[in-house]
Amino acid sequence: MYDLVIVGGGVWGCAAALAALEQGCGRVLLLEASPVLAGESSGKSGGIMSEFAGHPDDRVWVARSRALFEAAAQASGDAGMVRRYGRLVVAGTAEAPAFRRVADELGAEGMVSEMLSPEQVRARFPLVDGLATDTFGLWTPGAWHLNATGYAQTIVSAARARGLEVRLRHRVHAVRIADDRIRLEGPAGPDGTHATVEGARVLIAAGTWTRKLLQTAGIDIPYRPYRVQLSSIAFAAAESLPIISETATDMYITPDGPGSLLVGDGTQLWEHDPDAYEQAGDPAFEAEIAAGLARLVSSAGDSAHLRRSWAGLCGATPDRRPLLGPVAERLYIACGDNGSGVGRGPALGELAARVAMGVEPAPARLDPFRFPSADFRLRPGSGFLVPD
Ligand SMILES: Cc1cc2nc3c(=O)[nH]c(=O)nc-3n(C[C@H](O)[C@H](O)[C@H](O)COP(=O)(O)OP(=O)(O)OC[C@H]3O[C@@H](n4cnc5c(N)ncnc54)[C@H](O)[C@@H]3O)c2cc1C
């Protein structure tokens, strides 16, 4: 029997695995359904991390996650794992008071931000020439683009060196709660029986599958997966742009290394099944973001070219805060990224490991059962930028 089994090899599960071993946990096993680590939402993400966060918890988690990403980048020698581009949030003038309030709060904590008129934006970033007159740009230098896949691989190598066992292509089909252990039923063998793994404690960090998996143990949580899309776009001057988020459209643009941009949008406001959703980008989405990019950056209209698009899922919760803690005796979960789980994932994975090991009490404010599991309204945007 393992001391701790972690289900899900995305950023959260990988971070939890390393943290558990660093905390002195004995036998730790990481189970991942795909053939690769971070192949699902983590690998599909836009990789944006921003310290301009409305919720104080997020600021703590972003600061810690950045330290963990930077440590991994240094250990791997891959400087491209964390690239600092800064971020320009484009919002309507009616939103200015809310942004000013957060900017003042962050200023008191020493974080730099500036509110710029469309002319000032153009003077600072000559390529960003399309802001409407009734908008402003909030510039924060503390924003980064991350390579989540590289991070996951690096920290799992470090965890393997400390004794982590990893099984890829191992999908857990059902969770069974016994008196003194958790049984995880895995793939069927040649004789039709399911390989079972047992853990004294189990942490489920299965991203948008977490709710479905828990339902096999008769447990339900307030969690709804929603679909978001992203395009990779060739644009020679990509790294002359900052990361840009536009609140009116939910569109975001981030440099993705030299000559490359990622351009995405926000929430599709209905629930999606992680086992049955359209994984390719929609033609209408591609047309929309091409027009949006050309509107904000006119030179992209002629010279930017779509490489490919894809869709992935994020996990919504009623208050857009994570669900992290016990859901039964010895059974823990960490999910509910609400669209910002790469930039906060390392810290949340670390916290989940500490909670699952009993090193730290589960924070009541992240209690997975703080809301009923009944359906709730999906809301646009990530809720990360400015509090509700
Ligand atoms: C298009 C897109 C853009 C995004 N952009 C950003 C961004 O810019 N910044 C940001 O911070 N966040 C962004 N996100 C959100 C971010 O990707 C997620 O919050 C983050 O990846 C969540 O990590 P995770 O480890 O919880 O989930 P995942 O990466 O999905 O990992 C869960 C893992 O569990 C495995 N699994 C599931 N079920 C089982 C099972 N039964 N048995 C074994 N393994 C199982 C899955 O295969 C998967 O690998 C974006 C997401 C998408 C889709």
Side-chain angles (χ1 to χ4, degrees):
M1 179 159 74
Y2 289 90
D3 295 295
L4 178 66
V5 182
I6 298 166
V7 181
V11 165
W12 294 31
C14 294
L18 179 58
L21 285 151
E22 285 174 343
Q23 290 292 320
C25 194
R27 282 190 81 195
V28 183
L29 174 66
L30 177 66
L31 299 175
E32 168 52 49
S34 331
V36 291
L37 295 167
E40 292 295 339
S41 296
S42 297
K44 293 177 175 179
S45 94
I48 297 171
M49 168 193 269
S50 168
E51 68 182 15
F52 188 86
H55 197 290
D57 275 350
D58 288 331
R59 303 201 290 260
V60 171
W61 295 333
V62 164
R64 178 66 184 150
S65 297
R66 182 157 72 90
L68 293 170
F69 258 99
E70 284 174 346
Q74 199 167 20
S76 67
D78 175 8
M81 198 186 286
V82 186
R83 290 189 168 99
R84 184 176 192 142
Y85 293 119
R87 185 186 207 193
L88 188 70
V89 178
V90 178
T93 42
E95 296 172 88
F99 278 90
R100 208 179 302 277
R101 186 167 37 82
V102 179
D104 287 348
E105 213 175 304
L106 296 193
E109 293 174 26
M111 288 180 211
V112 175
S113 61
E114 280 177 82
M115 293 181 83
L116 306 174
S117 68
E119 297 72 38
Q120 288 169 319
V121 166
R122 195 172 175 165
R124 183 83 56 96
F125 305 103
L127 293 182
V128 187
D129 54 359
L131 262 64
T133 48
D134 58 351
T135 62
F136 67 94
L138 183 117
W139 164 244
T140 53
W144 297 262
H145 177 255
L146 310 165
N147 175 351
T149 311
Y151 167 77
Q153 286 164 351
T154 302
I155 58 165
V156 166
S157 296
R160 276 184 201 267
R162 290 174 175 263
L164 175 71
E165 293 176 48
V166 180
R167 290 189 207 166
L168 299 174
R169 295 190 177 85
H170 186 111
R171 178 172 294 280
V172 175
H173 290 273
V175 179
R176 307 282 175 229
I177 301 167
D179 283 345
D180 63 342
R181 64 195 61 197
I182 306 291
R183 292 200 174 91
L184 301 171
E185 288 179 10
D191 62 353
T193 58
H194 291 271
T196 299
V197 168
E198 294 184 334
R201 290 162 184 248
V202 167
L203 168 64
I204 298 185
T208 50
W209 281 270
T210 302
R211 184 181 184 194
K212 280 184 101 171
L213 191 53
L214 283 180
Q215 284 170 341
T216 64
I219 298 168
D220 206 3
I221 51 169
Y223 182 87
R224 303 183 72 196
Y226 62 87
R227 181 171 176 263
V228 292
Q229 303 179 73
L230 201 59
S231 286
S232 171
I233 291 182
F235 182 55
E239 289 194 300
S240 306
L241 296 178
I243 296 168
I244 303 173
S245 312
E246 191 180 45
T247 61
T249 59
D250 264 352
M251 182 178 74
Y252 59 89
I253 301 166
T254 177
D256 180 32
S260 198
L261 292 176
L262 293 175
V263 186
D265 72 354
T267 321
Q268 280 194 331
L269 294 171
W270 63 95
E271 187 165 338
H272 289 77
D273 179 347
D275 293 308
Y277 71 94
E278 179 52 63
Q279 301 213 22
D282 305 337
F285 159 76
E286 292 174 351
E288 223 168 83
I289 57 110
L293 175 62
R295 175 171 47 76
L296 290 177
V297 180
S298 64
S299 57
D302 294 331
S303 59
H305 301 287
L306 176 72
R307 289 200 186 103
R308 64 187 189 96
S309 304
W310 60 91
L313 299 186
C314 297
T317 59
D319 60 356
R320 304 205 272 200
R321 313 299 305 153
L323 307 179
L324 191 153
V327 290
E329 194 82 8
R330 295 177 301 284
L331 181 60
Y332 301 81
I333 63 166
C335 65
D337 62 275
N338 291 274
S340 306
V342 164
R344 300 177 296 169
L348 286 163
E350 192 177 58
L351 175 62
R354 292 169 64 84
V355 168
M357 289 168 63
V359 173
E360 192 170 324
R365 63 191 185 285
L366 305 182
D367 180 356
F369 299 126
R370 65 188 182 276
F371 294 99
S373 55
D375 280 353
F376 54 89
R377 191 172 62 88
L378 290 171
R379 288 177 285 172
S382 76
F384 175 65
L385 201 56
V386 174
D388 297 312

